[in-house]
Amino acid sequence: MSLYESSFPQMARMLGQVPTWLDKAQAHAEQKKYDPEVLLAARLAPDQWPLGRQIQTIISWPLRLSALLVGAEPPAPQTADETIAELRARIGKTLEQVSALKPEQFRGAEDRTIPLFFLPGKGMRAPDFVFQFALPNFYFHATTAYSILRHNGIDVGKADFIGPIALRDL
């Protein structure tokens, strides 16, 4: 399986679930009569990022990873406060951009060394970067965002996290 196949379809699939979580959060807030935007500041622990930043990070990983794998400058992560509507718009735009990626764009990426922005002068082989750093970080932030919503009483379940699965008759 190529680096493209093992990362971008999965990231797009997970990112595509986030609007479902936000739908449920907005419905819950409406039912309980509070502003759903307050959820964007919710966090599980004082030293963790709030929900809004977790979602921003989920949004940024696919495009950052695609740039790094082709040797381009990755886009800067978005860290300014955004509304739920703005996050939704960025999710849609990112999904469009990810769906436009083609496997052939990433030929030879396995041979690339990815520089680590947080450890100047250090890098990782692209496959190691994808499997040991990019995907675990992406799923960490997705799980944390989902958990913040659960912690705040939003009725999201495992099916909302995983999304539809490809079943076959036997």
Side-chain angles (χ1 to χ4, degrees):
M1 199 180 248
S2 72
L3 292 179
Y4 169 87
E5 294 167 325
S6 59
S7 55
F8 297 107
Q10 294 304 315
M11 290 173 131
R13 178 179 157 80
M14 179 59 56
L15 182 57
Q17 288 306 111
V18 176
T20 300
W21 309 346
L22 294 174
D23 290 345
K24 289 192 169 199
Q26 288 185 287
H28 181 268
E30 194 174 287
Q31 178 193 11
K32 298 290 185 179
K33 300 191 183 336
Y34 68 87
D35 181 359
E37 299 292 327
V38 301
L39 290 168
L40 295 176
R43 57 180 82 219
L44 292 177
D47 64 343
Q48 281 191 320
W49 290 342
L51 176 64
R53 182 85 182 269
Q54 301 289 348
I55 293 172
Q56 288 172 334
T57 304
I58 301 166
I59 294 167
S60 71
W61 259 113
L63 299 179
R64 289 183 59 76
L65 179 60
S66 67
L68 290 167
L69 288 178
V70 300
E73 184 68 29
Q78 169 70 19
T79 58
D81 288 343
E82 291 179 285
T83 65
I84 291 173
E86 290 168 332
L87 290 169
R88 285 178 181 279
R90 280 204 320 121
I91 290 167
K93 183 178 177 185
T94 299
L95 287 171
E96 286 176 15
Q97 291 172 295
V98 171
S99 69
L101 297 174
K102 302 293 179 228
E104 52 272 9
Q105 291 174 257
F106 300 94
R107 281 200 194 108
E110 341 25 74
D111 299 324
R112 185 174 299 285
T113 297
I114 307 297
L116 300 178
F117 64 90
F118 57 92
L119 286 175
K122 299 288 182 185
M124 296 176 76
R125 289 181 47 248
D128 294 334
F129 182 82
V130 168
F131 296 115
Q132 295 175 15
F133 190 77
L135 289 175
N137 268 284
F138 176 81
Y139 280 108
F140 171 84
H141 292 288
T143 301
T144 302
Y146 168 88
S147 296
I148 290 169
L149 292 172
R150 284 289 303 245
H151 179 74
N152 281 276
I154 311 307
D155 187 23
V156 287
K158 189 184 288 188
D160 297 311
F161 185 84
I162 294 172
I165 56 175
L167 296 175
R168 292 180 176 200
D169 291 332
L170 300 178

